[in-house]
Amino acid sequence: MKSKLLIGILICFLLSCNKFESKQKRIFNSENFNNYEIEFSNLDYNFNLNSGVIESDYFEIKDSIVLTKNEKNKIAKLFFENYMDTIKSETYVMNKEGLSIMPDTGINSIKINNISIVIGGLSDSLHVDEKGKNILRFREKIFEVLKQNNNFNKTINEIESKPDDRLFL
């Protein structure tokens, strides 16, 4: 009787673990990714991921980047794996200490359907909360994918080669 009870408890435990594991897996469809308008911005340029338009007002550069289907699928996967679809309000990613050095010229932002995510230039994944880690990972991995695109690299190199005489106070 005791062995049947132990086997029953073990089976229930294994089934509950299996249910918990299945809840942790995120199912995404690259077609769902088309419902999101995503734009990356920093002090040098704005890049609209959906339209492929990259432009720099200061350096007077505007170009169009064509992403391959494989690149789009990788980006879609990163978007959902890092829970970017769950962000529903303006978000700031800063180190937990709350200290910042001004001016912070490394500030980046990501807009998802007009919801701003502002990333402090000094933020690092060791000092931010879990949501911030996902955002930083998403940004880092997206740029790893984009850096494989020759058109993107050409435009970024063109922007970076321009003389920059801006003063930040």
Side-chain angles (χ1 to χ4, degrees):
M1 181 70 177
K2 285 184 180 181
S3 62
K4 287 183 181 181
L5 181 62
L6 285 174
I7 291 173
I9 292 172
L10 182 61
I11 289 172
C12 289
F13 176 76
L14 292 174
L15 289 174
S16 67
C17 287
N18 190 24
K19 285 181 183 178
F20 178 76
E21 184 179 310
S22 66
K23 288 181 183 177
Q24 297 298 326
K25 292 180 183 177
R26 302 234 327 140
I27 299 171
F28 65 90
N29 179 342
S30 58
E31 293 299 317
N32 292 346
F33 183 65
N34 294 332
N35 296 328
Y36 296 92
E37 183 78 21
I38 302 170
E39 184 176 308
F40 293 95
S41 299
N42 61 29
L43 292 174
D44 295 332
Y45 63 86
N46 295 326
F47 175 56
N48 186 305
L49 193 62
N50 302 74
S51 67
V53 173
I54 184 169
E55 61 184 321
S56 173
D57 292 335
Y58 181 78
F59 296 111
E60 297 177 356
I61 293 173
K62 186 173 183 177
D63 202 352
S64 186
I65 308 299
V66 178
L67 299 174
T68 66
K69 185 174 183 172
N70 187 34
E71 290 168 333
K72 287 179 184 177
N73 286 338
K74 284 180 184 178
I75 291 170
K77 182 178 179 186
L78 290 168
F79 182 80
F80 291 109
E81 281 180 346
N82 289 292
Y83 301 91
M84 300 304 288
D85 59 316
T86 64
I87 297 173
K88 304 296 182 204
S89 63
E90 192 167 285
T91 302
Y92 295 93
V93 178
M94 302 175 113
N95 289 342
K96 291 178 193 173
E97 295 85 24
L99 300 174
S100 63
I101 298 173
M102 296 308 256
D104 187 351
T105 58
I107 290 178
N108 293 277
S109 71
I110 303 171
K111 272 192 180 177
I112 302 172
N113 294 345
N114 293 320
I115 297 171
S116 292
I117 302 167
V118 178
I119 304 168
L122 302 173
S123 299
D124 68 73
S125 60
L126 298 175
H127 298 101
V128 297
D129 60 13
E130 196 62 36
K131 185 178 189 180
K133 287 178 186 178
N134 287 337
I135 292 168
L136 291 174
R137 186 180 315 111
F138 173 69
R139 182 189 62 181
E140 178 185 331
K141 297 294 183 183
I142 289 291
F143 282 101
E144 285 178 14
V145 172
L146 292 173
K147 286 179 182 178
Q148 302 300 312
N149 184 295
N150 291 331
N151 293 334
F152 183 80
N153 283 329
K154 180 181 151 222
T155 304
I156 295 300
N157 288 337
E158 185 179 350
I159 291 169
E160 290 175 348
S161 69
K162 299 272 186 181
D164 188 351
D165 58 359
R166 294 177 285 184
L167 294 174
F168 299 100
L169 302 175

